[in-house]
Amino acid sequence: MKLYNTLSKQKEEFVPLEEGKVKMYVCGPTVYNFIHIGNARPMIVFDTVRRYFEYKGYDVNYVSNFTDVDDKIIKKANEEGVTSNEISKRYIAECKKDMDGMNIEPATKNPLATEEIGGMIDMIKTLIDKGYAYEKNGTVYYSTRKFKDYGKLSHKNLDDLRSGERSLLVSGEDEKEDPLDFVLWKPKKEGEPSWASPWSDGRPGWHIECSEMSKKYLGEQIDIHAGGEDLVFPHHENEIAQSEAANGVEFAKYWMHNAFLNIDNRKMSKSLGNFRTVREISEQYDLQVLRFFMLSAHYRSPLNFSADLMEASKNGLERIVNAADNLKFLSKNAANEKMTEEEVNIFAQTDVFVKDFERAMEDDFNTADAIAAVFDLVKFANSNTGSESSKEYLGKLFELLVKLTDVLGLIVDKKEDMLDEEIEKLIEERQAARKAKDFARADEIRDELLEKGIILKDTREGVQWKRA
Ligand code: AMP
Ligand code: ZN
């Protein structure tokens, strides 16, 4: 399996540190708002990478943090007159809902920066002891020039470097010994959340958070560290400097970075204000469509968000789901159980689609080509099945389709049956709507249930329901 390593600027063969295992860390969002679809790109991309490793039989330890202490969170908390903790808890919960809708497998661990401060303080102490960091008036800085490999990830020359745009500005910034030095610990300002440390009551810098959380949950050396390409410099470069100086071993073997999701050919970001939240998209589309859209391009190519591409993705996904539905329908009505000799031979031809799919994924996770292989299988299934097909044959085609789409995190086996409690919840909501004279909503719920085959009957005793 080959993947592109930002460190070497080449596609490299993947060799795990420990046989059969993959340890990966993906930088997660700063939680001060609903996530936007740009944030969703690394989530979907690296979840798919994980799923492919799992398909290949690897045991994947997948860690992705939430940055829950940050200037932007504090600002939002002040605007609303609530605590930072309330803001971050709220948006972590909302983010998890979105991730669920996008069918992101839950991480092995989602560490929170605020729960790992002790470990960060220990790491900073180690860096000071080893001569890689120094304190000035309560602020601790990393001595960038002391780390001889600085710049190896972003391929930047130390002397050409300027501090990155995301470097933390703190009071006393001018006390740095070198403009390239960055903050490991900073003293609190009035009204900010803070923790006691040997240097000051304060909080950690952003970069040290990931170095510590990765070490704690995955160990000093990991296989893959990933995130969006804006994180290469300074965030990941600084993480390397911290982790390798503190631990004395290579931090991550492979560094993977997704390209940006753009809108009108400009980067989508919270600061530019041109973003669309995942939640907004979910009002218009099933989030499976968003997932399909993201995977329809290679993760290292910029992707431009547009209504047309979303419609094309919706249609593409529908084609696959329809094929799966068709196989299920035929199977329900199939006359024969066992595969005929001829069917065995026909089914053997699907091997080529599996090979194409795997070849695409093993070439640096080319999901666009992998989707093309799924479409070939869909076409094949549509034209090589009919009312005379056996149950076993249809079942095998269906299973194969589910197996491949599952690697992409696309759900084609829709469980249509609603659970009783889901139905009852909707009925309750409908009653409440009627009480509030919101008849439009009440009718909408009735129609929604009808579409799922649930028939309501209003009686004097209350609402009765049955499945059609
Ligand atoms: P942030 O909350 O800004 O720290 O971002 C969380 C993750 O989303 C990081 O991996 C970013 O690189 C990534 N990200 C942010 N905006 C975009 C975008 N427009 N396209 C792709 N990835 C993005
Ligand atoms: Zn990070």
Side-chain angles (χ1 to χ4, degrees):
M1 191 189 313
K2 281 201 161 33
L3 51 84
Y4 183 88
N5 190 351
T6 308
L7 206 52
S8 64
K9 290 171 123 177
Q10 276 174 21
K11 285 187 198 169
E12 291 178 27
E13 189 61 34
F14 178 75
V15 183
L17 287 165
E18 207 181 316
E19 205 175 314
K21 296 198 168 153
V22 180
K23 286 180 263 192
M24 68 189 283
Y25 185 96
V26 181
C27 291
T30 307
V31 277
Y32 64 100
N33 208 333
F34 286 96
I35 56 163
H36 62 68
I37 55 177
N39 300 134
R41 191 169 191 195
M43 288 175 181
I44 291 171
V45 161
F46 298 117
D47 177 62
T48 307
V49 167
R50 171 198 188 164
R51 284 168 180 269
Y52 190 69
F53 277 119
E54 285 174 344
Y55 168 87
K56 294 290 282 183
Y58 284 96
D59 176 10
V60 184
N61 193 345
Y62 189 97
V63 176
S64 188
N65 67 296
F66 286 111
T67 295
D68 63 344
V69 56
D70 179 90
D71 290 343
K72 293 181 222 108
I73 300 174
I74 296 168
K75 184 166 170 264
K76 176 94 168 180
N78 289 339
E79 279 165 14
E80 287 195 20
V82 298
T83 61
S84 296
N85 191 43
E86 193 171 327
I87 296 291
S88 56
K89 288 277 167 320
R90 182 198 304 161
Y91 290 112
I92 288 170
E94 297 297 355
C95 178
K96 285 188 172 170
K97 279 188 215 160
D98 289 338
M99 286 165 90
D100 193 45
M102 297 186 289
N103 198 24
I104 310 280
E105 266 188 73
T108 319
K109 175 80 189 170
N110 286 128
L112 305 183
T114 55
E115 291 176 2
E116 311 291 346
I117 306 283
M120 294 174 206
I121 291 176
D122 287 345
M123 197 177 231
I124 297 170
K125 276 188 199 156
T126 306
L127 289 169
I128 294 176
D129 290 347
K130 289 192 165 185
Y132 286 99
Y134 59 94
E135 187 246 352
K136 284 262 169 81
N137 297 327
T139 303
V140 184
Y141 298 98
Y142 186 97
S143 288
T144 304
R145 281 180 197 276
K146 292 252 168 69
F147 184 67
K148 64 174 184 358
D149 284 339
Y150 196 82
K152 71 174 173 181
L153 181 72
S154 51
H155 308 281
K156 287 181 192 284
N157 182 323
L158 257 189
D159 293 321
D160 300 339
L161 275 176
R162 287 240 129 40
S163 286
E165 50 173 333
R166 282 193 79 156
S167 70
L168 297 161
L169 291 169
V170 290
S171 54
E173 186 87 351
D174 48 335
E175 293 169 341
K176 287 201 272 191
E177 287 172 1
D178 187 304
L180 289 177
D181 294 352
F182 59 89
V183 170
L184 298 172
W185 186 267
K186 57 178 172 178
K188 70 165 181 190
K189 285 191 228 130
E190 198 46 44
E192 287 186 354
S194 65
W195 291 263
S197 83
W199 316 289
S200 59
D201 278 359
R203 60 187 163 107
W206 172 40
H207 316 300
I208 198 77
E209 296 176 8
C210 290
S211 280
E212 164 53 22
M213 293 187 277
S214 177
K215 177 179 171 178
K216 176 157 174 192
Y217 294 101
L218 296 170
E220 291 181 351
Q221 286 190 287
I222 67 172
D223 294 288
I224 299 172
H225 196 117
E229 66 183 4
D230 57 326
L231 300 189
V232 175
F233 184 84
H235 186 52
H236 288 164
E237 195 69 65
N238 290 355
E239 280 190 44
I240 292 177
Q242 297 164 152
S243 295
E244 298 194 354
N247 306 329
V249 287
E250 187 185 36
F251 179 24
K253 238 174 130 176
Y254 306 95
W255 289 83
M256 295 180 73
H257 295 99
N258 62 274
F260 263 86
L261 178 73
N262 297 326
I263 189 158
D264 302 325
N265 294 310
R266 284 178 78 203
K267 164 184 166 176
M268 181 179 296
S269 78
K270 286 177 195 156
S271 49
L272 288 174
N274 61 353
F275 62 90
R276 295 275 209 99
T277 63
V278 170
R279 202 55 63 85
E280 279 163 1
I281 299 298
S282 77
E283 283 156 15
Q284 212 182 336
Y285 293 100
D286 185 330
L287 290 179
Q288 286 281 297
V289 175
L290 183 66
R291 183 159 185 135
F292 186 100
F293 161 76
M294 295 283 183
L295 297 179
S296 61
H298 189 272
Y299 75 93
R300 284 190 294 113
S301 305
L303 177 57
N304 203 37
F305 179 82
S306 74
D308 283 355
L309 278 179
M310 284 298 284
E311 280 303 308
S313 300
K314 184 172 173 237
N315 294 337
L317 185 63
E318 254 167 32
R319 251 169 76 201
I320 304 174
V321 174
N322 287 345
D325 281 349
N326 191 37
L327 290 170
K328 267 201 285 195
F329 174 79
L330 290 173
S331 175
K332 242 190 249 164
N333 303 302
N336 302 315
E337 285 292 325
K338 286 270 154 229
M339 265 165 107
T340 62
E341 190 99 349
E342 199 196 345
E343 283 177 336
V344 171
N345 290 333
I346 299 174
F347 186 75
Q349 293 173 33
T350 60
D351 207 37
V352 62
F353 309 128
V354 177
K355 293 243 161 60
D356 286 349
F357 181 89
E358 291 182 355
R359 196 179 309 117
M361 291 301 277
E362 305 217 349
D363 181 15
D364 192 29
F365 305 97
N366 191 335
T367 51
D369 284 1
I371 289 176
V374 171
F375 278 137
D376 289 341
L377 173 62
V378 162
K379 217 159 109 193
F380 182 90
N382 288 343
S383 50
N384 287 284
T385 52
S387 53
E388 73 294 346
S389 302
S390 71
K391 223 181 184 64
E392 188 185 1
Y393 170 68
L394 293 162
K396 273 177 151 302
L397 282 172
F398 181 75
E399 249 172 57
L400 181 59
L401 189 56
V402 169
K403 190 173 161 192
L404 298 187
T405 46
D406 190 49
V407 174
L408 302 173
L410 300 173
I411 303 166
V412 297
D413 185 11
K414 286 249 158 69
K415 302 270 183 286
E416 274 157 22
D417 280 349
M418 284 184 95
L419 297 172
D420 288 6
E421 61 201 65
E422 280 181 82
I423 297 168
E424 257 132 33
K425 229 175 110 194
L426 276 173
I427 292 176
E428 258 174 49
E429 203 195 313
R430 176 168 171 266
Q431 293 300 86
R434 291 174 71 169
K435 226 173 167 176
K437 300 213 176 335
D438 184 357
F439 297 110
R441 176 67 190 139
D443 288 346
E444 202 177 278
I445 293 173
R446 171 188 280 267
D447 293 344
E448 196 180 318
L449 285 167
L450 196 61
E451 233 181 73
K452 302 243 163 76
I454 312 296
I455 298 166
L456 301 187
K457 196 169 155 205
D458 293 304
T459 70
R460 240 180 296 166
E461 284 75 45
V463 183
Q464 290 178 353
W465 62 270
K466 63 171 191 188
R467 292 180 202 274

